[in-house]
Amino acid sequence: RRFLQEQLPRGVVFGFIEDDNTASLAISRRAGYVPIASVVAENYAVLRPAAVAGVRRLEAQERERLQDCLETLYAGHDLTDFDQSVVPEQCWVLERGGVWVAALQAERRRFELVDLGYRGWLKRAVPWIPVVRQLVDPRDYRFLWYQHLWFREDQPGAIFDLMQGVLYAMGHRLANLQFDRRSPVYARWRRSGRLGPLAVFRNGFQVMADLRDLAPTGRPILCTTRGA
């Protein structure tokens, strides 16, 4: 903590720790970090994604329009640094009748699941679970990272059409998303569609922060990779 304070004299330092990692959570608290959010990581999977009419990439000149849409939808959230984290070449929109109804940002990710701790049984079981083994290879775990989800208030289900359309367009079958559990946007999104066969494998995280001289706002945060 002292090193980070010296290297980053201004701003907030925070990290994600799994809900069930009690040892790391205790160490974090002893070091002066406080919980500012409870985050859930959701899996969206489609065995055979289909093309969706109206799905297209965002054009560079539309960046400000998307940022305005996100600012409106996520009003009341913290860490909404859309000017830094929106990457136009990774963004997609769904149009119907020439009108935007949904948008998102998608980034390709690849992991190798080396150690799942007490969940190691899951890695060993994957080859024996028919549906799961078609979607997940622990040695070559490829998926899309979805963030900056936006949808019209009167058409929340459109985001699921876009999520499937982007899977198809990018040649994937699995995406991961993270939300603050307190977010009303998350609540509306979760009620608007089905996540598919891997929905049961959601993870939870505590966001622990060194707030320096600041006080927690109590507002939900936006989970992004800050344009990384």
Side-chain angles (χ1 to χ4, degrees), residues 4-62:
L4 289 174
Q5 289 176 335
E6 292 172 354
Q7 298 298 312
L8 301 170
R10 300 180 61 188
V12 174
V13 177
F14 62 93
F16 289 64
I17 301 177
E18 287 186 311
D19 286 340
D20 50 22
N21 191 340
T22 55
S24 292
L25 287 170
I27 292 170
S28 178
R29 288 191 176 93
R30 287 197 297 271
Y33 288 76
V34 296
I36 62 169
S38 177
V39 169
V40 59
E42 299 275 14
N43 294 297
Y44 171 71
V46 181
L47 280 172
R48 297 178 181 83
V52 176
V55 172
R56 66 169 177 84
R57 288 188 178 272
L58 184 79
E59 297 180 9
Q61 66 270 22
E62 296 175 314

Side-chain angles (χ1 to χ4, degrees), residues 13-14 30 34 38 68 71 75 84 89 112-113 120 131 163 170 178-179 198 217 225:
V13 177
F14 62 93
R30 287 197 297 271
V34 296
S38 177
D68 289 343
E71 291 283 1
Q84 300 178 49
E89 56 267 28
E112 180 181 358
L113 305 181
V131 174
M163 287 162 54
M170 297 185 68
Q178 292 186 1
F179 289 95
L198 297 187
T217 67
T225 55

Side-chain angles (χ1 to χ4, degrees), residues 94 96 102 151-152 154-162 188 192-193:
L94 172 58
R96 287 177 177 161
F151 48 85
R152 284 176 56 103
D154 59 344
Q155 297 189 50
I159 190 64
F160 279 83
D161 293 333
L162 178 58
R188 291 198 297 274
S192 300

